């Protein structure tokens, strides 16, 4: 079997890759470098120069070759490599008539617990989102910020005490709305400094969140380790890390109790599986990051299916970034999309490969929507993280 073509495909806000072979088998992958889709597509096209004519079954070799042939890396390159890796696993599964999880050692679970995405510009909207999740049968909510998802066009200002006490009060309301039937995955989106993160973490311990995600910018791993050492709230991080080696440094410094590899930028199924195994050695849980399409979800579910230390899967629902920015219906985008079973889980399917394929005409129905370069400013004019 030989690779015949490697094609980046823009659909809606997503970037996919389709790899065709001389046997007629087609593999599908997705990139997670969503801020730089054009650059990633160009990198995929560059990788095609190497891949065309090669045996698609030599996944690890191609991964090593493309990672190591030159000294550049980062999210764009790794987004491209991840998309290619997922597509090669998809091809391999279809070639062997087996789901990818069967090739990774077989399923250790039949369904994956998921968390519901909650967005809101006010605390009331976020509380409503939790109630909505409960009604639908979810047992966890995530993307749940204690600071609200205010518009990025609104200048920001709060005093320190407003910022911290307001966040604590919001988490109290979330717990009240969630009861003990729903876990809270608190998303900080890198808004805090290390001392703020420690104050907030200690103040919300009483509400028993499942985790506090990205309390500080992930660039300095020692700072994440400092925060993790000062609070009993589990720290979840890793969505921006693009390699196994960054995760090794994070865990060596005690920076996380839960790791969040993004299958679509950490090196695909190959990379994420290694991160999961690294974490397993330390009894650290895995919560695959997944803000993307049902293709990413399908790739994540191969990790969920096979990693003994899998904890919960991010399962995006209806919006993206700003509230109300609706996604295409999963079933309109792909066949085989994972569906919530009404009990807080999705079933892991046993279809060959990753189990999903683009619907015919999806690219025409959902033309590419470039993400605007927009971030929030402080009232003093400086950039804030949100
Ligand atoms: Mg996050």
């Amino acid at each position: 079997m030989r690779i015949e073509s490697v094609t980046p495909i823009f659909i809606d806000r997503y970037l996919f890759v389709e790899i065709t072979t001389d046997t007629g088998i087609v593999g599908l992958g997705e990139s997670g470098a969503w801020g730089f889709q054009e650059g990633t597509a160009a990198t995929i096209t560059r990788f095609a120069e190497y891949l065309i004519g090669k045996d698609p079954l030599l996944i690890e070799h191609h991964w090593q070759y493309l990672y190591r042939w030159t000294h550049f890396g980062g999210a764009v390159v790794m987004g491209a490599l991840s998309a290619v890796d997922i597509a090669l696993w998809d091809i391999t599964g279809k070639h062997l008539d087996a789901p990818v999880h069967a090739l990774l050692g077989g399923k250790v679970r039949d369904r994956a617990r998921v968390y519901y995405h909650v967005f809101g510009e006010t605390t009331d909207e976020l509380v409503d989102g939790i109630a909505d999740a409960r009604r639908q049968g979810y047992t966890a909510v995530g993307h749940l910020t204690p600071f609200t998802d205010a518009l990025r066009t609104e200048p920001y200002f709060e005093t320190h005490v407003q910022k911290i006490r307001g966040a604590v009060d919001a988490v109290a309301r979330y717990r009240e709305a969630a009861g003990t039937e729903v876990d809270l995955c608190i998303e900080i989106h890198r808004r805090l400094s290390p001392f703020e993160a420690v104050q907030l973490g200690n103040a919300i311990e009483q509400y028993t969140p499942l985790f506090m995600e990205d309390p500080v910018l992930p660039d300095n791993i020692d700072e994440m380790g400092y925060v993790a050492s000062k609070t009993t709230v589990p720290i979840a991080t890793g969505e921006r890390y693009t390699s196994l080696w960054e995760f090794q440094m994070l865990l060596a410094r005690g920076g996380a109790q839960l790791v969040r590899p993004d299958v679509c930028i950490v090196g695909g199924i190959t990379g994420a599986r290694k991160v999961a195994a690294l974490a397993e050695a330390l009894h650290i849980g895995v919560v695959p990051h997944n803000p993307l399409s049902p293709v990413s979800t399908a790739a994540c579910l191969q990790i969920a299916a096979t990693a003994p230390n899998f904890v919960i899967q991010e399962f995006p629902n209806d919006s993206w970034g700003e509230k109300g920015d609706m996604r295409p219906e999963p079933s309109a985008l792909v066949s085989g999309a994972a569906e919530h079973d009404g009990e807080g889980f999705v079933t892991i399917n046993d279809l060959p490969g990753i189990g999903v394929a683009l619907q015919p005409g999806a690219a025409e129905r959902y033309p590419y929507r470039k993400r605007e370069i927009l971030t929030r400013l402080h009232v003093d004019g400086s950039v804030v993280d949100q």
Side-chain angles (χ1 to χ4, degrees):
M1 185 163 51
R2 297 288 156 196
I3 293 171
E4 283 196 332
S5 68
V6 180
T7 310
I9 301 171
F10 294 95
I11 301 180
D12 195 74
R13 64 210 74 188
Y14 307 120
L15 175 64
F16 303 103
V17 63
E18 263 189 358
I19 299 182
T20 65
T21 64
D22 58 0
T23 63
I25 292 175
V26 177
L28 177 63
E30 179 171 5
S31 169
W34 46 262
F36 295 94
Q37 302 286 44
E38 298 78 10
T40 310
T43 306
I44 289 170
T45 303
R46 186 95 166 92
F47 284 169
E49 295 171 21
Y50 161 81
L51 289 164
I52 289 170
K54 299 289 193 306
D55 177 353
L57 303 183
L58 303 179
I59 302 170
E60 181 73 36
H61 176 71
H62 299 322
W63 196 105
Q64 296 288 333
Y65 201 100
L66 291 171
Y67 186 85
R68 294 163 62 182
W69 77 276
T70 182
H71 52 285
F72 301 105
V76 167
V77 172
M78 291 306 290
L81 181 55
S82 300
V84 165
D85 178 89
I86 295 165
L88 294 181
W89 276 106
D90 193 30
I91 289 170
T92 304
K94 288 171 176 169
H95 177 70
L96 299 171
D97 196 26
V100 170
H101 54 72
L103 308 178
L104 296 173
K107 288 187 289 189
V108 298
R109 56 181 57 79
D110 297 317
R111 52 184 191 157
R113 188 180 177 204
V114 292
Y115 74 73
Y116 181 85
H117 261 202
V118 177
F119 287 87
E121 289 168 27
T122 65
T123 302
D124 286 343
E125 287 179 357
L126 289 161
V127 167
D128 288 347
I130 294 169
D132 189 38
R134 271 182 90 161
R135 266 194 302 277
Q136 293 185 48
Y138 286 93
T139 64
V141 292
H143 202 281
L144 178 64
T145 172
F147 302 106
T148 78
D149 299 301
L151 294 174
R152 288 177 178 231
T153 47
E154 278 179 21
Y156 171 79
F157 178 76
E158 280 179 308
T159 60
H160 172 72
V161 63
Q162 285 169 340
K163 185 176 187 179
I164 301 299
R165 285 202 189 169
V168 176
D169 292 346
V171 175
R173 290 194 60 197
Y174 301 159
R175 174 51 71 210
E176 189 181 7
T180 57
E181 289 78 38
V182 175
D183 277 320
L184 305 177
C185 307
I186 301 296
E187 169 68 276
I188 306 297
H189 273 149
R190 304 155 288 270
R191 290 188 196 214
L192 300 176
S193 66
F195 80 84
E196 291 171 329
V198 171
Q199 275 195 331
L200 179 62
N202 289 339
I204 65 173
E205 279 176 1
Q206 60 186 308
Y207 303 114
T208 327
L210 177 57
F211 57 75
M212 179 164 80
E213 178 177 353
D214 283 336
V216 296
L217 282 164
D219 316 45
N220 186 322
I221 289 172
D222 290 327
E223 287 175 8
M224 201 68 80
Y226 167 77
V227 174
S229 73
K230 294 290 185 187
T231 176
T232 64
V233 175
I235 302 299
T237 190
E239 68 180 59
R240 292 191 179 184
Y241 294 149
T242 59
S243 81
L244 175 64
W245 299 279
E246 282 170 293
F247 278 97
Q248 191 280 333
M249 289 188 275
L250 174 75
L251 296 184
R253 287 159 177 75
Q257 285 72 46
L258 298 159
V259 287
R260 305 226 50 199
D262 186 311
V263 178
C264 297
I265 63 166
V266 80
I269 291 169
T270 298
R273 190 72 185 87
K274 292 179 182 180
V275 171
L278 177 71
E280 183 187 350
L282 297 164
H283 297 112
I284 298 266
V286 179
V287 183
H289 180 246
N290 175 37
L292 301 168
S293 88
V295 177
S296 167
T297 303
C300 287
L301 288 177
Q302 309 308 317
I303 307 303
T306 55
N309 51 334
F310 167 79
V311 173
I312 197 165
Q313 177 60 55
E314 180 172 7
F315 188 56
N317 315 97
D318 57 354
S319 54
W320 169 280
E322 303 294 350
K323 182 170 166 280
D325 183 9
M326 305 302 280
R327 300 163 182 269
E329 277 295 316
S331 60
L333 204 56
V334 301
S335 60
E339 290 178 13
H340 177 225
D341 67 1
E343 298 178 342
F345 291 80
V346 299
T347 301
I348 294 164
N349 81 40
D350 293 326
L351 295 169
I354 61 170
V356 295
L358 289 177
Q359 295 285 16
E364 290 71 37
R365 277 198 305 283
Y366 301 108
Y368 178 48
R369 299 168 60 199
K370 186 188 285 192
R371 193 175 166 93
E372 184 183 2
I373 296 177
L374 175 66
T375 197
R376 199 168 185 195
L377 297 180
H378 192 271
V379 291
D380 69 7
S382 63
V383 171
V384 296
D385 291 289
Q386 175 164 314

